[in-house]
């Protein structure tokens, strides 16, 4: 894994956006793997700036998102579909029909997950995937466990993740208890992965990802097996390295 430690969140976001812009500029119909959470917001802001400055064109770009709460409706302002529209899709010239987020209200979630996985393959796979990292080392919603699931699936959220994400909801009891997430192999199929981490709250997870044991109890540690991963983090997230 390549590691870039930058001064602050702003520099981290700009560096990540530059990598994404390069991919889009070298392949106009590329497939972006996108993530939610606070961490990638700055990167999306930089990409919107680049779009407005005429430096990047999303007209033929396609995207697939890592995860979505389950159950949740797309118009709920805590859904990841809403997040993506708000932070990126409504602000650039991407064709929303080419943006895919797991269905948070599927009546048959198992078939919906299978269809999601097949669609990633039908699109030709993901050219570049951005990932945040959970405090407990999760990626997407692949939570620490004795075993992990390869492909897109429905998962139970851990108490730690529910607590961490409750900051976005009125109360902890409003946080959905489940999610649909791309699996480890869905993520590994991406040709290039950029992991972002900012702030001291992520320092322990960053240390475990880079220096700890390779274990499903820290799903991010498995990223060390992928041939093209770059961690871009700020000084605070790197404080324990
Ligand atoms: C969430 C998301 C992850 C995200 C992580 C960190 O639970 N499912 O994809 O990377 O938590 O979020 P944040 O960037 O807000 O710290």
């Amino acid at each position: 894994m390549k590691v870039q430690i930058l001064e602050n969140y702003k520099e981290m976001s700009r560096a990540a956006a530059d990598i994404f812009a390069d991919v889009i500029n070298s392949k106009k119909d590329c497939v972006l793997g996108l993530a939610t959470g606070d961490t990638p917001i700055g990167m999306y802001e930089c990409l919107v700036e680049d779009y407005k400055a005429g430096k990047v064109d999303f007209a033929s770009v396609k995207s697939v998102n890592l995860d979505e709460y389950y159950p949740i409706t797309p118009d709920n302002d805590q859904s990841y579909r809403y997040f993506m529209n708000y932070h990126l899709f409504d602000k650039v010239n991407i064709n929303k029909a080419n943006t895919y987020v797991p269905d948070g209200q599927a009546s048959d979630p198992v078939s919906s997950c299978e269809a999601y996985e097949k669609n990633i393959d039908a699109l030709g796979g993901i050219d570049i995937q951005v990932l945040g990292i959970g405090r407990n080392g999760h990626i997407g919603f692949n939570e620490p466990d004795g075993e992990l699931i390869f492909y897109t699936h429905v998962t139970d959220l851990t108490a730690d993740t529910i607590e961490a994400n409750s900051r976005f909801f009125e109360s902890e009891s409003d946080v959905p208890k489940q999610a649909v997430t791309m699996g480890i192999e869905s993520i590994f199929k991406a040709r290039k992965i950029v992991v972002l981490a900012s702030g001291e709250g992520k320092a322990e997870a960053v240390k475990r990802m880079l220096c700890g044991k390779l274990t499903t109890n820290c799903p991010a540690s498995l990223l060390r097996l992928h041939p093209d991963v770059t961690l871009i983090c700020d000084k605070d997230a790197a404080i324990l390295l």
Side-chain angles (χ1 to χ4, degrees):
M1 190 179 300
K2 284 167 270 177
V3 180
Q4 278 184 45
I5 301 171
L6 298 175
E7 203 50 42
N8 52 40
Y9 179 76
K10 205 171 163 202
E11 284 188 16
M12 177 201 79
S13 302
R14 176 35 71 194
D18 286 350
I19 297 176
F20 267 68
D22 282 350
V23 170
I24 298 168
N25 287 330
S26 61
K27 186 178 176 190
K28 292 206 168 318
D29 60 347
C30 64
V31 179
L32 306 180
L34 301 177
T36 54
D38 279 337
T39 314
I41 291 177
M43 180 186 99
Y44 295 142
E45 283 169 359
C46 290
L47 285 171
V48 171
E49 261 171 43
D50 290 351
Y51 164 70
K52 287 186 178 155
K55 293 182 188 162
V56 66
D57 176 12
F58 289 82
S60 307
V61 168
K62 294 162 211 146
S63 71
V64 291
N65 258 77
L66 262 182
D67 49 14
E68 177 60 284
Y69 289 114
Y70 187 83
I72 203 159
T73 57
D75 59 348
N76 183 317
D77 62 6
Q78 292 312 323
S79 77
Y80 289 169
R81 162 53 77 182
Y82 189 99
F83 175 106
M84 289 311 307
N85 288 347
Y86 181 78
H87 289 288
L88 186 66
F89 301 155
D90 286 339
K91 295 180 174 159
V92 297
N93 65 333
I94 199 164
N95 176 355
K96 269 204 207 149
N98 290 333
T99 67
Y100 301 91
V101 178
D103 185 355
Q105 50 179 1
S107 52
D108 179 354
V110 174
S111 310
S112 168
C113 289
E114 277 173 26
Y116 197 77
E117 193 70 38
K118 278 192 186 141
N119 185 48
I120 296 174
D121 294 336
L123 292 170
I126 295 167
D127 290 295
I128 181 166
Q129 174 72 54
V130 64
L131 295 176
I133 177 170
R135 294 186 310 203
N136 62 4
H138 75 221
I139 48 175
F141 272 128
N142 293 275
E143 296 277 34
D145 204 344
E147 51 188 28
L148 296 177
I149 297 177
F150 258 46
Y151 298 111
T152 305
H153 59 282
V154 182
T155 185
D156 295 333
L157 301 184
T158 60
D160 185 71
T161 297
I162 291 173
E163 193 269 311
N165 290 7
S166 66
R167 68 190 194 276
F168 301 113
F169 292 81
E170 271 183 25
S171 74
E172 201 168 311
S173 60
D174 290 335
V175 184
K177 306 291 176 285
Q178 288 190 305
V180 177
T181 182
M182 278 165 47
I184 296 296
E185 174 62 10
S186 332
I187 295 170
F188 263 62
K189 285 190 293 193
R191 288 181 265 281
K192 189 178 191 62
I193 297 177
V194 173
V195 186
L196 301 181
S198 168
E200 266 189 66
K202 297 296 171 69
E204 185 64 39
V206 165
K207 184 179 164 198
R208 288 179 70 206
M209 169 173 69
L210 288 179
C211 316
K213 284 186 183 153
L214 194 76
T215 168
T216 56
N217 286 314
C218 177
S221 70
L222 303 179
L223 292 169
R224 282 164 27 212
L225 298 173
H226 187 285
D228 189 350
V229 182
T230 304
L231 165 69
I232 308 178
C233 65
D234 60 18
K235 275 186 167 170
D236 291 343
I239 204 156
L240 298 177
L241 297 181

